[in-house]
Amino acid sequence: MNAHLPPRTLPVTSAGLQLRMLRRQAGLSQLDLALITGMSQRHISCIETGRARPSPATLHALLMALQAPLEQCNNLFLAAGYAPRYGSLPLTSPSLEAIRGAIGHVLQANNPAPAIVLGSQWQVMAANASTAALFALLGLPANATDELNLLVTLLQPGGLGDHLLNADEIRSVAWQRASREALENPELATLLAGLPMPSGPASLVNDAPPLVMTHIDSPDGQLSFLSTFTTFGMPLDITVASLRIEHLIPADPHTWQVMTQAYENSIRPST
């Protein structure tokens, strides 16, 4: 049965009440927020109760301290009577040239381990050569990462999920993570509603590793990867804030050896 997850949005109400809700969601008291921002607790109280109208600079400082999603920040600026502050530039924009350069550097540096850039709907926006090498090793098309959605290929039959030895575990983790994100992402909620829900939580093992690993069935035997994420610090653009780079780090010498050979083969000039 598919889950239909309505997006969680801030109610149409005053900026002060929205700010109070964000502060409570962050688990902070007014005193905590005052200490973080350098403002007085009394001033924060006056803003939350509507007795004081915050300036755009004050709102920005409070929202950054609360690490609020930029879409919610724009809602709050509108509620306070200001224009939305945070834009959403396409990744191809000239203004994001430094971002693209940083992404390219990180992807290249991750070779011979796979790395992919994901957008807010889990769409693959870029991938390094080792990702293509891994897909080729599994018999997937060379252009398999083009217009690929990681969530779709993990959850739908016929995708990458079919090559996982611990598919139930990885699918459950992906579903849970995407479900949390979908609470504030209507487009992702719509995508998730059309995908098959994992059959159930993965069974616990007595000797569990310190984190969930991805185990892939390949012609060269089992490949095991650790997963880490890179995000941009202090983003002020919605597109940049949504980007994350997933690194699949080989978890054992055999996987390093296979991936190193596959990567070297992929970049070797054809004769």
Side-chain angles (χ1 to χ4, degrees):
M1 181 174 64
N2 292 338
H4 296 274
L5 302 171
R8 182 174 63 187
T9 58
L10 289 171
V12 181
T13 184
S14 70
L17 291 178
Q18 290 188 26
L19 186 65
R20 175 183 292 174
M21 185 180 71
L22 289 171
R23 175 179 59 77
R24 289 177 174 174
Q25 287 178 351
L28 298 175
S29 66
Q30 289 182 347
L31 178 59
D32 293 331
L33 187 56
L35 292 173
I36 293 171
T37 60
M39 302 178 192
S40 71
Q41 182 180 356
R42 182 176 182 278
H43 186 47
I44 292 175
S45 176
C46 288
I47 292 173
E48 289 187 356
T49 57
R51 289 176 291 170
R53 183 179 185 233
S55 68
T58 296
L59 273 182
H60 173 75
L62 290 168
L63 292 167
M64 292 302 101
L66 293 170
Q67 297 183 337
L70 296 184
E71 296 94 333
Q72 287 194 358
C73 294
N74 279 341
N75 290 339
L76 205 147
F77 270 94
L78 283 170
Y82 302 116
R85 182 183 181 95
Y86 310 104
S88 182
L89 293 170
L91 190 56
T92 55
S93 170
S95 301
L96 299 186
E97 181 179 0
I99 302 297
R100 295 193 300 275
I103 289 172
H105 171 77
V106 172
L107 291 179
Q108 175 63 27
N110 210 68
N111 288 313
I116 56 177
V117 182
L118 298 175
S120 60
Q121 279 79 58
W122 291 55
Q123 71 274 28
V124 176
M125 305 183 72
N128 66 357
S130 293
T131 303
L134 175 61
F135 277 40
L137 191 66
L138 300 178
L140 297 172
N143 61 347
T145 59
D146 296 348
E147 300 183 2
L148 180 71
N149 185 287
L150 183 60
L151 196 60
V152 172
T153 194
L154 284 176
L155 295 176
Q156 278 190 344
L160 182 60
D162 290 351
H163 296 271
L164 302 180
L165 293 170
N166 58 335
D168 289 344
E169 184 177 33
I170 297 301
R171 283 168 170 155
S172 292
V173 170
W175 179 273
Q176 292 165 8
R177 180 180 296 160
S179 296
R180 290 194 300 269
E181 296 172 2
L183 293 173
E184 296 173 355
N185 187 328
E187 292 82 4
L188 181 58
T190 300
L191 173 66
L192 199 59
L195 294 174
M197 180 185 294
S199 56
S203 58
L204 293 175
V205 296
N206 293 329
D207 190 20
L211 51 80
V212 175
M213 289 194 289
T214 300
H215 300 295
I216 298 178
D217 184 19
S218 84
D220 291 322
Q222 176 176 313
L223 304 180
S224 298
F225 297 91
L226 309 173
S227 180
T228 65
F229 288 91
T230 295
T231 59
F232 286 94
M234 298 179 289
L236 295 178
D237 178 88
I238 293 172
T239 298
V240 178
S242 71
L243 294 175
R244 60 187 185 272
I245 303 174
E246 181 171 11
H247 310 259
L248 291 176
I249 309 299
D252 54 52
H254 172 69
T255 304
W256 272 116
Q257 180 182 9
V258 171
M259 286 308 309
T260 299
Q261 187 63 54
Y263 169 67
E264 291 176 350
N265 290 341
S266 72
I267 63 174
R268 185 175 295 127
S270 57
T271 56

